[in-house]
Amino acid sequence: TIHVIGVTGIQFNAVGETAGVMLAEDALQKKKTITIPANTKVEWLIDQRELTNAYPVLELNRGKDALINIGYAEALYDSSNRKAHRDDIDGKSFRGYQDGLKASGKEVHYMPLLYRTFRYIRVSIETKEQPLEIMDFYGIKSEYPFDYNASFKSENPLLDTVLSVGWRTAKLCAMETYMDCPYYERLQYIGDTRIQGLVSIYNSGDDRLLRQALSQFDQSRMAEGITMSRYPTKDDQQIPPFSLWWIGMVHDYWMYRGDKDFVSGLIPGIRQVLTFFESFQQSDGSLGEMPYWNFTDWANNKGWFFGAAPNAQKGNSALMDLQLLWAYQVAAQLESEVGLPVMSQVYKSKIAQLEKVIRSKYWSAEKAMFADEDTRQLFSQHANVLAILTEMVKGEDAAKLMDKVLTDPLLAQTT
């Protein structure tokens, strides 16, 4: 095994299915030349046993004009085109990104310019007039070098397994930036990154990638004041609530790191985000018609549309108002401790106004919970959890409300 910072050489774990030239299950676990005769078609399915980020390296010789295709998949698919149990390959089909190359007839070491993400690799080969020699096929694993420095004890072994899977997932989603997923978009979204940053701090203590993300989101702010929903990327996308959650990320970092110099440098960006939202607040403080994509969650209940909560675009939305209230609350604390106390007072007046309008517009005495919109016809877990987090409801009343959130199946459910 070769160890470099963030990089490890790996042999592929197991060959699951073969056709054309048969291979033993452990055939790729050590370097050994495999010869494929001329005019032969070969297909191998490799199971790495767990999702992996790695640069595949294929060492070839001879086999002029042979066509080699290497496909990568995180899971196989069943007959209904759904992802099956990840361990099950019988009767399943392969679908995934692919690299294609043609052998030159000379010795060649092929490696793509960017890492690939896979549990399964399918190698398809079609030789022409000359036999092809595969001298080696292995991967160079790549990941951000998080060390696991936490400790966890439980009498339930299932929780240990969940923690192991969760930490592996967190590491797969951390490369040169955080990312929502390593196989598909590979983008650093604020909503995902806030959670990932907390996972990093709790389990590793390494906050360098989080600091970078906080700065990158700050740098992504538009002239209007809000951040991009994801950054860095060449494709602009705006999700205004994510800009509020970026403020929450800054607050998280302050609470866990107390780095005054770094956090104070982000305060001007926080003010600009809140100035953007202030421009859409109605006279009563509630948000009116909003631009861009006001995504909150992928709920699919009545009133929700493509992740946007009821009234999120046209105004008088409890979920939008509660998220703004929460952002004002954490921003007020940041201004008080590392910014300007006078700005903290400005935000506290905004908080008082929002608390009043949220209670008057959305509280349903009949249901004893907050509605999603001002007609009080639609209800969700989201609005009521936000009401508890913002302390619109406290103490025993909050406990009773949370019981309803967890037990009422008619509420729009969080995904």
Side-chain angles (χ1 to χ4, degrees):
T1 303
I2 307 164
H3 290 286
V4 185
I5 294 177
V7 177
T8 306
I10 58 169
Q11 301 303 130
F12 293 127
N13 207 319
V15 179
E17 291 183 346
T18 62
V21 172
M22 302 297 135
L23 294 182
E25 183 179 3
D26 62 352
L28 298 177
Q29 291 179 14
K30 57 184 177 180
K31 184 170 183 177
K32 180 182 178 181
T33 299
I34 301 167
T35 301
I36 301 172
N39 301 309
T40 300
K41 291 183 178 180
V42 165
E43 186 168 292
W44 302 327
L45 181 67
I46 300 166
D47 181 1
Q48 191 57 16
R49 302 272 170 83
E50 63 183 36
L51 200 66
T52 302
N53 293 335
Y55 293 81
V57 180
L58 182 61
E59 299 181 4
L60 303 173
N61 194 21
R62 305 180 68 206
K64 182 175 174 55
D65 295 331
L67 302 177
I68 301 102
N69 184 284
I70 310 170
Y72 313 94
E74 60 163 9
L76 303 183
Y77 289 79
D78 63 19
S79 58
S80 300
N81 205 32
R82 294 178 299 186
K83 293 177 185 177
H85 191 294
R86 303 300 168 99
D87 294 340
D88 189 5
I89 66 174
D90 292 338
K92 303 302 184 293
S93 60
F94 184 97
R95 191 176 77 200
Y97 299 118
Q98 302 177 43
D99 293 324
L101 56 148
K102 180 187 286 189
S104 66
K106 301 177 182 178
E107 184 173 334
V108 173
H109 290 195
Y110 169 77
M111 184 179 73
L113 296 176
L114 193 61
Y115 69 91
R116 303 300 188 229
T117 299
F118 54 86
R119 169 168 173 172
Y120 290 98
I121 297 177
R122 184 182 64 186
V123 180
S124 302
I125 300 171
E126 182 178 352
T127 58
K128 302 302 181 182
E129 299 303 317
Q130 188 180 49
L132 175 70
E133 295 177 358
I134 296 180
M135 299 180 294
D136 203 1
F137 187 36
Y138 60 96
I140 299 176
K141 189 175 181 180
S142 184
E143 61 187 21
Y144 183 87
F146 278 125
D147 292 322
Y148 185 74
N149 294 319
S151 61
F152 177 81
K153 293 182 180 180
S154 170
E155 294 180 359
N156 184 350
L158 177 60
L159 293 181
D160 295 325
T161 302
V162 169
L163 181 63
S164 176
V165 171
W167 180 242
R168 186 164 67 245
T169 301
K171 292 186 73 175
L172 285 162
C173 296
M175 298 292 282
E176 70 275 14
T177 67
Y178 289 110
M179 59 186 69
D180 58 332
C181 55
Y183 187 84
Y184 296 98
E185 292 182 85
R186 295 184 174 180
L187 288 170
Q188 183 172 247
Y189 282 88
I190 293 174
D192 304 72
T193 304
R194 183 177 182 227
I195 299 167
Q196 292 167 287
L198 290 170
V199 169
S200 302
I201 286 177
Y202 271 106
N203 292 286
S204 175
D206 186 339
D207 61 15
R208 292 173 294 177
L209 211 57
L210 175 57
R211 287 167 59 90
Q212 174 184 263
L214 288 166
S215 296
Q216 287 172 334
F217 292 138
D218 188 35
Q219 293 157 9
S220 79
R221 281 182 296 104
M222 303 164 58
E224 293 171 90
I226 57 168
T227 66
M228 295 295 173
S229 68
R230 59 196 186 193
Y231 198 77
T233 174
K234 65 181 179 64
D235 296 322
D236 292 352
Q237 184 192 72
Q238 299 82 15
I239 299 179
F242 274 20
S243 293
L244 300 178
W245 292 100
W246 171 69
I247 298 173
M249 285 182 64
V250 178
H251 184 259
D252 292 341
Y253 184 83
W254 169 245
M255 295 299 289
Y256 285 103
R257 282 295 181 263
D259 185 342
K260 185 173 183 178
D261 289 342
F262 180 74
V263 172
S264 62
L266 301 173
I267 294 294
I270 290 174
R271 293 173 187 154
Q272 290 190 37
V273 168
L274 291 173
T275 298
F276 167 86
F277 278 89
E278 184 180 7
S279 69
F280 294 99
Q281 286 184 267
Q282 303 171 96
S283 59
D284 63 2
S286 180
L287 285 166
E289 186 175 353
M290 292 290 295
Y292 305 120
W293 180 28
N294 289 287
F295 171 89
T296 295
D297 187 23
W298 287 116
N300 195 30
N301 295 69
K302 183 179 179 181
W304 290 77
F305 180 73
F306 201 61
N311 284 9
Q313 300 299 141
K314 70 178 186 179
N316 298 319
S317 163
L319 273 76
M320 293 294 289
D321 287 346
L322 283 161
Q323 288 178 86
L324 180 58
L325 171 62
W326 174 80
Y328 275 132
Q329 289 173 340
V330 296
Q333 183 183 356
L334 287 169
E335 289 283 6
S336 175
E337 297 182 9
V338 297
L340 297 174
V342 66
M343 286 302 300
S344 180
Q345 293 305 313
V346 169
Y347 292 154
K348 286 177 180 177
S349 67
K350 295 282 189 184
I351 290 166
Q353 183 188 36
L354 267 174
E355 287 176 339
K356 181 178 179 180
V357 73
I358 288 169
R359 190 166 281 108
S360 65
K361 273 192 177 181
Y362 309 118
W363 177 255
S364 168
E366 178 186 356
K367 294 275 191 179
M369 62 176 59
F370 286 91
D372 290 348
E373 33 67 61
D374 56 344
T375 65
R376 303 176 193 167
Q377 299 298 308
L378 303 174
F379 296 83
S380 67
Q381 290 184 326
H382 310 71
N384 290 283
V385 167
L386 285 166
I388 293 168
L389 290 173
T390 55
E391 296 191 326
M392 291 293 297
V393 186
K394 301 179 184 179
E396 186 62 29
D397 290 336
K400 290 178 181 178
L401 181 56
M402 196 66 209
D403 285 341
K404 291 184 179 181
V405 166
L406 295 173
T407 59
D408 188 343
L410 298 180
L411 299 179
Q413 303 289 297
T414 60
T415 66

